[in-house]
Each structure stands twice: as C-alpha cells, then as structure tokens.
Amino acid sequence: MSVLVYTENWAGKFKKLTHEIVSFAAAIAKEMGSSVTALSIGHVADDELKTLGQYGANKVLNVQDDRFESLDNKALADAVAKAAEKEGAKVIIFAHNNEGKAIAPRVAVKLNAGLVSGVTGLPVSVDPFVVRKKVFTGKAFANVQINTDVKVITFAQNSYEVVENPTEVTIEVFDPQIGDDEFSTKVLDTHKITGKVLLTDAEIVVSGGRGMKGPENWGGLEELGELLGAGMACSRPVSDEGWRSHEEHVGQTGKIIAPNLYMAFGISGAIQHLGGISSSKYIVAVNKDPEAPIFEAADYGIVGDAFKVIPQLIEAVKELKANK
Amino acid sequence: MKILVLISNVPDTTTKIRFTGDNKAFDTTGVQWIINPWDELALTRAMELKEAGGVEKISVANVGTKITEPTLRKALAVGADDAIRIDAEPLDAYFVAKQLAEVAKDYDLIMAGIEASDYNGASVGGMLAEILGINSVSAVSGVDIENGELKIHRDIDGGSQVLSVPTPLVVIVQKGIAIDPRIPAMRGIMMARKKPLKVVEPVEAEPRIEFLSYELPAPKAACKMVDEDNAKELIRLLHEEAKVL
Ligand SMILES: Cc1cc2nc3c(=O)[nH]c(=O)nc-3n(C[C@H](O)[C@H](O)[C@H](O)COP(=O)(O)OP(=O)(O)OC[C@H]3O[C@@H](n4cnc5c(N)ncnc54)[C@H](O)[C@@H]3O)c2cc1C
C-alpha cells in the first residue's frame, strides 16, 4: 500500500511545487502507515530523481518514453493508473495546476476513485478520509469526505511547507506499456515563455491596475518586480486595454495564483479580481482611495499615489539587498 | 460537426455566500443563478464557430432540477439550437459526468468550462471524457476548425501549444477562448421560447464524495497601514514581520 505522487519536471529538474507535494504526501503516508512512491514521467537524471528522497519519497518510478512529450491526457492517465495499480496506491496526489487538473479526473474514473480537487492542507482525518478545500471561488471552505477505497486529490500550491525528511529511496524503471493508439494528441507548435519569472510559479507577484493610467507607466513596477525576482500581473481592464499581455491577467476569468506575497498597485479589488489572488499568503495594496475594497483583503496597505510610492519601495528594496 | 456545450448553473459571482444553520448545506435563498462564466465563454466560441460555417448544431446540457431551466433558456437565447436537462440534483462531479455521458455520445466536440464557480471542482470535463473513452485537452484557450479538423490552443505550465487532436474530443476551456460572453438579443430571447428543451431521466450512479460541512473564512485582521511618505517602512515590515522578503 502506498501514497502515489504525480511529479512534474521542467527540463529535467523538479521545482519547489514538487518538493511541496512530496512533503505533503509523506505526511499523509505517515498518518496512514504507508510509504510514498513518486511517479516521474520524462527525462530526469537519476541524481535528480534521488533528491525526492530528501522530502520523504521511498520509491521513484521512472517512466522514460518520448511519446508522453505531447502531454496526451488519455495516455498519461493510463500510465498513472497503471502505476497506482502496480503500487497498490490508496491515495494519489496531483498538483492543482494545468497538468493535475487535466489528468486527475481521468485517473479517478479509471480507478473507481472519488476525487477532491484543490485540497488546502493535510486531511482532517484519514479514516474516514476527509479533506478541506475552498469553494465558491475562495468565499468559503468545505469539508469533503471521499467514500471510495482509492482516493484522488489535487493539491493547491503553497498549502504545505517543504519539509526535509531524508529517506532511503530506490529508483525503478517503469514501463506502463501504453499502445500507440492511446496517443492522439499531435503538437504542431510550442511556445515557451523564457527569461521571465512564471506568474504561476512566482513566490512574489507585482501587479498593476487601471490606476497605473497607461502602459508607459510600468517601468517602475518592472524594476520593482525585477529586484524582487517577482512575476508580473495585472487586472482585467489592463489586459483588455492592451497595456499588458493577456498572460498577466489574474482573477476570476484570468489566472488563479497563490504566491507568498501579492502587491497590488492601483487596483480597486473588485470581487472578480480577488477571486484570483485571495489565496496569496500576504496581500499588499497601494491605492489612492481609502475606501477601495482591496484594503479589506490586504494585510498591509498604503493610501497614496502609486507613482510616489513605487520609487520609495525600489529604493528600500535596494537598501535591503545591500545589507543582506 | 456537432457541438455539445456543458452548462453549469451557478450563483451570480457577486452573491454573498451563506449556509444553512447547521452549516451542512448552501443556502440558496435569494440567489440569482447564472451560466457558469467559463461555460458562457465556451458557448460564445461555439457560436462563433457555427457562424464561420462547419458546425451543424450546438446543443447545451445541464444536470439539474427545474430551477436551472431559466439558465438553459438563456443559453438558447444566446443561440444554442436545443437544450437537454437531466432531471437530478447534481450530487458530485462523478455523478454529473456519468449523466452527461448518456447524452454526449452523439457529438463530435464537447466543450466544458475549466471549473464551475461554486464547487471549483475542475473535474467534470475530464471525467466525462474518460467515461466515454475519448481524449480530452485541458486549459484550452483557443479552438478553430480548419478543413473540418480541430486546431486547439492550450496553455502548458510555462507556455502554450497548438495541437491537432481528432474528434470525438472533450475540450476543457479557460481564459482566452472568447473575449466577452455573448448577450442574448431580443430576437434570441423570443426564439428561445420555441426551441426544444428536452428533459431526460437520470441513470443510476453513486456519488463518490460527500460535502459534510462548510465554513466561512475567519474574518481577516485589519489591514496594517503605512504612511505614503514613509513607504520604505512597508519593505521593513515585509522583511521583518511577514518575513516574505
Ligand atoms: C464576469 C466578470 C469577470 C471578471 N473577471 C475579472 C478578472 O479575472 N480579473 C480582474 O481583475 N477583473 C475582472 N473583472 C472586472 C472587475 O469587476 C473590475 O472591473 C476590475 O478588476 C477593475 O480593475 P482595476 O482595479 O484595475 O480598475 P478600477 O476599478 O478602475 O480601479 C482602479 C483603482 O486604482 C486607483 N488609483 C487610481 N489612480 C491611482 C494612483 N495614481 N495611485 C494609486 N491608486 C490609484 C483607484 O482608486 C481605483 O481603486 C470581471 C468582471 C466581470 C463582470
């Protein structure tokens, strides 16, 4: 019996999210008295696979098959289900991101398992298996019980600390034996965003709204973002006006993010905007209007002109870095 | 090509969320119901594809009791050709997907929203595809039909891709699929009254998860204010107090 974790690598390296999710799985396995198996699909060197042992993985199943590079949902789900069956996995954990959301529901059907997505912490109990998740786009929480023998969950990023928990780890090559006819996704073109901090990965996000007045005023925010190693975001009207790329739009109809720190400049904090950022650990708001709803969601705030505040912040961050 | 758009009936985005006294159920009193925003965008894109030619028919389907009919009528007013309501309380995503699988068999392209804004499950589209034994593509930000074949744009973590995937197919759509949702015109509303809305009986299916109870988030501590002329103090607080810098 084991807890199976679906890991994701980027160009052969695991990111913090994978370490988080393996740590999370290790904590669940401990409570259930079982072990942790990590499934890695793609080209990851053995040395890198072994690092998962740092966070509590007992075994790594290593699938190396170029056909999976097309990220075909049907074939991927088949591979995960076969790994789960081989390991006798009772709990299967995915990240609540593009890949996890794509595969987990299919795996749940294959294994006759109940699925809860966007789980925000360790189970409330493991027997019965009850987890907590956000509902109504962050306006409430629900306690949800999974009533099937096998359970599938997707884990909301930033919901658990990375815990060092060095374990003896074995690496095993695994061939799930998927037929060619399972793969029907053909990739015609791939566009990778390079050189920028990815918004969905970023631990700090610097964001601007209509209060920034125009695309020509983003220099200060860019500089602040760069100093902080932050991802850049914006409110919907900003991307609708074409001031910033659609890639940066966060909110109910944009990207949903959960960084450690979200800094909103000239953003009113409409409910649809908050829907995409309310899981941030800390929210900072800079707004001229003391009545702006963003201050109800914020932890730290400045009532003031963004154009006066941003240069001061840049200077303070430079000083902080110089003293570190 | 025939398109089926899945429609979830959800509380209006600005609804104040309340639960019944024992916190065991969502309190629907006074709730304004709408088409789930993602489903609305999917329907909009389906309409655009139909107008460009190459789509014979657009149907919409929902699992829900009679209270969801105004939402389905709205989808008809936007331009869907017919609507199917599977007459059951949507118990969990698996139950819903199982019901939809019964009516989805005859379509080439099935469009689902990435999640419903009530239970945020992000599950029905993928489950439906698996039950039907067909492929699915998630995080879809564009669908085009070229020479009768689908060209799909999807987001991947760290970029985007253009794909070709044969039908039948479930696409699970997100931001970018359409710019603004289509608003029904007067003519559409008049025509919607005459369009078929078929009610079908549910099939046997056991839900696999159970919502036990709900909680509202703890009230947030008051926002700590920093003076505009002393903005540097904010960086100190973020460094020393919040420890995020
Ligand atoms: C179905 C639906 C979905 C939506 N989805 C999203 C979504 O995903 N994301 C999203 O962001 N919005 C979304 N919206 C739009 C949302 O309702 C708001 O209109 C939007 O978030 C407002 O953006 P804003 O705060 O940048 O602009 P505004 O509301 O115009 O606010 C600008 C703010 O800047 C302040 N300001 C002005 N000048 C300065 C200055 N010099 N210094 C400091 N502050 C200044 C003002 O006081 C004001 O509070 C959606 C709306 C609908 C109906």
Side-chain angles (χ1 to χ4, degrees), chain A residues 208-213 234-238 249-255 265-274 276 286-289 292-294 304-307, chain B residues 13 37 40 181:
Chain A
R210 195 144 53 185
M212 295 300 294
K213 306 283 193 303
C234 67
S235 68
R236 176 168 166 175
V238 167
H249 160 199
V250 294
Q252 190 203 326
T253 48
K255 289 204 170 88
F265 295 88
I267 294 179
S268 58
I271 187 93
Q272 296 90 354
H273 185 80
L274 297 180
V286 177
N287 197 305
K288 275 210 293 216
D289 173 10
I294 187 86
D305 187 337
F307 300 110
Chain B
T13 318
E40 198 175 26

Side-chain angles (χ1 to χ4, degrees), chain B residues 69-125:
Chain B
E69 282 196 5
T71 297
L72 281 174
R73 285 276 171 219
K74 183 175 172 206
L76 291 172
V78 168
D81 297 294
D82 58 15
I84 306 160
R85 177 170 72 82
I86 298 141
D87 189 22
E89 199 66 61
L91 298 170
D92 75 347
Y94 174 72
F95 177 88
V96 169
K98 193 90 181 149
Q99 304 305 325
L100 290 168
E102 294 293 311
V103 301
K105 287 182 195 118
D106 307 329
Y107 293 86
D108 307 291
L109 179 64
I110 299 158
M111 300 177 87
I114 190 129
E115 63 178 45
S117 60
D118 48 5
Y119 293 95
N120 309 107
S123 318
V124 169

